[in-house]
PDB file of all heavy atoms in Angstrom:
ATOM      1  N   LYS Q  29     -31.401   3.469  24.241  1.00  0.00           N
ATOM      2  CA  LYS Q  29     -31.839   2.075  24.270  1.00  0.00           C
ATOM      3  C   LYS Q  29     -33.203   1.983  24.975  1.00  0.00           C
ATOM      4  O   LYS Q  29     -34.085   1.253  24.540  1.00  0.00           O
ATOM      5  CB  LYS Q  29     -30.801   1.252  25.043  1.00  0.00           C
ATOM      6  CG  LYS Q  29     -31.129  -0.205  25.188  1.00  0.00           C
ATOM      7  CD  LYS Q  29     -30.076  -0.901  26.044  1.00  0.00           C
ATOM      8  CE  LYS Q  29     -30.421  -2.367  26.256  1.00  0.00           C
ATOM      9  NZ  LYS Q  29     -29.600  -2.966  27.325  1.00  0.00           N
ATOM     10  N   ASN Q  30     -33.353   2.736  26.039  1.00  0.00           N
ATOM     11  CA  ASN Q  30     -34.582   2.699  26.844  1.00  0.00           C
ATOM     12  C   ASN Q  30     -35.232   4.076  26.886  1.00  0.00           C
ATOM     13  O   ASN Q  30     -34.548   5.091  26.793  1.00  0.00           O
ATOM     14  CB  ASN Q  30     -34.275   2.307  28.292  1.00  0.00           C
ATOM     15  CG  ASN Q  30     -33.339   1.124  28.376  1.00  0.00           C
ATOM     16  OD1 ASN Q  30     -33.601   0.082  27.790  1.00  0.00           O
ATOM     17  ND2 ASN Q  30     -32.224   1.293  29.077  1.00  0.00           N
ATOM     18  N   VAL Q  31     -36.547   4.086  27.073  1.00  0.00           N
ATOM     19  CA  VAL Q  31     -37.264   5.351  27.266  1.00  0.00           C
ATOM     20  C   VAL Q  31     -38.129   5.241  28.515  1.00  0.00           C
ATOM     21  O   VAL Q  31     -38.882   4.277  28.682  1.00  0.00           O
ATOM     22  CB  VAL Q  31     -38.154   5.704  26.049  1.00  0.00           C
ATOM     23  CG1 VAL Q  31     -38.960   6.975  26.325  1.00  0.00           C
ATOM     24  CG2 VAL Q  31     -37.315   5.880  24.792  1.00  0.00           C
ATOM     25  N   ILE Q  32     -37.991   6.226  29.397  1.00  0.00           N
ATOM     26  CA  ILE Q  32     -38.875   6.323  30.563  1.00  0.00           C
ATOM     27  C   ILE Q  32     -39.660   7.620  30.442  1.00  0.00           C
ATOM     28  O   ILE Q  32     -39.081   8.702  30.362  1.00  0.00           O
ATOM     29  CB  ILE Q  32     -38.083   6.295  31.887  1.00  0.00           C
ATOM     30  CG1 ILE Q  32     -37.244   5.009  31.981  1.00  0.00           C
ATOM     31  CG2 ILE Q  32     -39.032   6.409  33.085  1.00  0.00           C
ATOM     32  CD1 ILE Q  32     -36.318   4.962  33.201  1.00  0.00           C
ATOM     33  N   LEU Q  33     -40.978   7.500  30.388  1.00  0.00           N
ATOM     34  CA  LEU Q  33     -41.869   8.659  30.280  1.00  0.00           C
ATOM     35  C   LEU Q  33     -42.570   8.835  31.617  1.00  0.00           C
ATOM     36  O   LEU Q  33     -43.320   7.961  32.052  1.00  0.00           O
ATOM     37  CB  LEU Q  33     -42.882   8.424  29.149  1.00  0.00           C
ATOM     38  CG  LEU Q  33     -43.974   9.476  28.952  1.00  0.00           C
ATOM     39  CD1 LEU Q  33     -43.396  10.848  28.651  1.00  0.00           C
ATOM     40  CD2 LEU Q  33     -44.928   9.043  27.831  1.00  0.00           C
ATOM     41  N   LEU Q  34     -42.291   9.959  32.285  1.00  0.00           N
ATOM     42  CA  LEU Q  34     -42.927  10.247  33.567  1.00  0.00           C
ATOM     43  C   LEU Q  34     -44.004  11.302  33.343  1.00  0.00           C
ATOM     44  O   LEU Q  34     -43.716  12.389  32.843  1.00  0.00           O
ATOM     45  CB  LEU Q  34     -41.897  10.763  34.576  1.00  0.00           C
ATOM     46  CG  LEU Q  34     -40.756   9.799  34.927  1.00  0.00           C
ATOM     47  CD1 LEU Q  34     -39.772  10.464  35.891  1.00  0.00           C
ATOM     48  CD2 LEU Q  34     -41.312   8.520  35.557  1.00  0.00           C
ATOM     49  N   ILE Q  35     -45.241  10.964  33.692  1.00  0.00           N
ATOM     50  CA  ILE Q  35     -46.354  11.885  33.478  1.00  0.00           C
ATOM     51  C   ILE Q  35     -46.923  12.305  34.830  1.00  0.00           C
ATOM     52  O   ILE Q  35     -47.308  11.463  35.646  1.00  0.00           O
ATOM     53  CB  ILE Q  35     -47.468  11.226  32.624  1.00  0.00           C
ATOM     54  CG1 ILE Q  35     -46.917  10.807  31.255  1.00  0.00           C
ATOM     55  CG2 ILE Q  35     -48.655  12.187  32.467  1.00  0.00           C
ATOM     56  CD1 ILE Q  35     -47.920  10.065  30.384  1.00  0.00           C
ATOM     57  N   SER Q  36     -46.970  13.604  35.054  1.00  0.00           N
ATOM     58  CA  SER Q  36     -47.620  14.132  36.251  1.00  0.00           C
ATOM     59  C   SER Q  36     -48.954  14.700  35.789  1.00  0.00           C
ATOM     60  O   SER Q  36     -48.990  15.753  35.176  1.00  0.00           O
ATOM     61  CB  SER Q  36     -46.755  15.222  36.873  1.00  0.00           C
ATOM     62  OG  SER Q  36     -46.396  16.171  35.878  1.00  0.00           O
ATOM     63  N   ASP Q  37     -50.026  13.975  36.067  1.00  0.00           N
ATOM     64  CA  ASP Q  37     -51.337  14.386  35.565  1.00  0.00           C
ATOM     65  C   ASP Q  37     -51.731  15.743  36.165  1.00  0.00           C
ATOM     66  O   ASP Q  37     -51.616  15.953  37.365  1.00  0.00           O
ATOM     67  CB  ASP Q  37     -52.382  13.315  35.919  1.00  0.00           C
ATOM     68  CG  ASP Q  37     -53.619  13.389  35.050  1.00  0.00           C
ATOM     69  OD1 ASP Q  37     -54.173  14.500  34.899  1.00  0.00           O
ATOM     70  OD2 ASP Q  37     -54.047  12.354  34.516  1.00  0.00           O
ATOM     71  N   GLY Q  38     -52.176  16.657  35.330  1.00  0.00           N
ATOM     72  CA  GLY Q  38     -52.699  17.939  35.818  1.00  0.00           C
ATOM     73  C   GLY Q  38     -51.664  18.908  36.347  1.00  0.00           C
ATOM     74  O   GLY Q  38     -51.953  19.678  37.267  1.00  0.00           O
ATOM     75  N   THR Q  39     -50.461  18.888  35.749  1.00  0.00           N
ATOM     76  CA  THR Q  39     -49.354  19.662  36.314  1.00  0.00           C
ATOM     77  C   THR Q  39     -48.843  20.730  35.361  1.00  0.00           C
ATOM     78  O   THR Q  39     -48.210  20.423  34.354  1.00  0.00           O
ATOM     79  CB  THR Q  39     -48.204  18.714  36.695  1.00  0.00           C
ATOM     80  OG1 THR Q  39     -48.706  17.778  37.642  1.00  0.00           O
ATOM     81  CG2 THR Q  39     -47.041  19.469  37.303  1.00  0.00           C
ATOM     82  N   GLY Q  40     -49.116  21.992  35.680  1.00  0.00           N
ATOM     83  CA  GLY Q  40     -48.576  23.107  34.916  1.00  0.00           C
ATOM     84  C   GLY Q  40     -47.368  23.697  35.629  1.00  0.00           C
ATOM     85  O   GLY Q  40     -46.858  23.136  36.610  1.00  0.00           O
ATOM     86  N   LEU Q  41     -46.938  24.860  35.146  1.00  0.00           N
ATOM     87  CA  LEU Q  41     -45.724  25.465  35.674  1.00  0.00           C
ATOM     88  C   LEU Q  41     -45.853  25.875  37.148  1.00  0.00           C
ATOM     89  O   LEU Q  41     -44.898  25.779  37.908  1.00  0.00           O
ATOM     90  CB  LEU Q  41     -45.339  26.668  34.806  1.00  0.00           C
ATOM     91  CG  LEU Q  41     -43.912  27.187  34.951  1.00  0.00           C
ATOM     92  CD1 LEU Q  41     -42.874  26.082  34.849  1.00  0.00           C
ATOM     93  CD2 LEU Q  41     -43.643  28.251  33.892  1.00  0.00           C
ATOM     94  N   SER Q  42     -47.055  26.283  37.565  1.00  0.00           N
ATOM     95  CA  SER Q  42     -47.227  26.674  38.983  1.00  0.00           C
ATOM     96  C   SER Q  42     -47.102  25.463  39.903  1.00  0.00           C
ATOM     97  O   SER Q  42     -46.518  25.547  40.990  1.00  0.00           O
ATOM     98  CB  SER Q  42     -48.589  27.330  39.201  1.00  0.00           C
ATOM     99  OG  SER Q  42     -48.609  28.609  38.625  1.00  0.00           O
ATOM    100  N   GLN Q  43     -47.663  24.318  39.452  1.00  0.00           N
ATOM    101  CA  GLN Q  43     -47.538  23.100  40.256  1.00  0.00           C
ATOM    102  C   GLN Q  43     -46.057  22.726  40.409  1.00  0.00           C
ATOM    103  O   GLN Q  43     -45.597  22.403  41.508  1.00  0.00           O
ATOM    104  CB  GLN Q  43     -48.285  21.928  39.583  1.00  0.00           C
ATOM    105  CG  GLN Q  43     -49.789  21.926  39.784  1.00  0.00           C
ATOM    106  CD  GLN Q  43     -50.523  22.799  38.770  1.00  0.00           C
ATOM    107  OE1 GLN Q  43     -49.930  23.601  38.045  1.00  0.00           O
ATOM    108  NE2 GLN Q  43     -51.843  22.645  38.719  1.00  0.00           N
TER     109      GLN Q  43
END
Side-chain angles (χ1 to χ4, degrees):
K29 179 184 177 193
N30 314 306
V31 176
I32 302 174
L33 175 60
L34 299 177
I35 300 176
S36 51
D37 201 311
T39 301
L41 197 50
S42 288
Q43 281 85 347

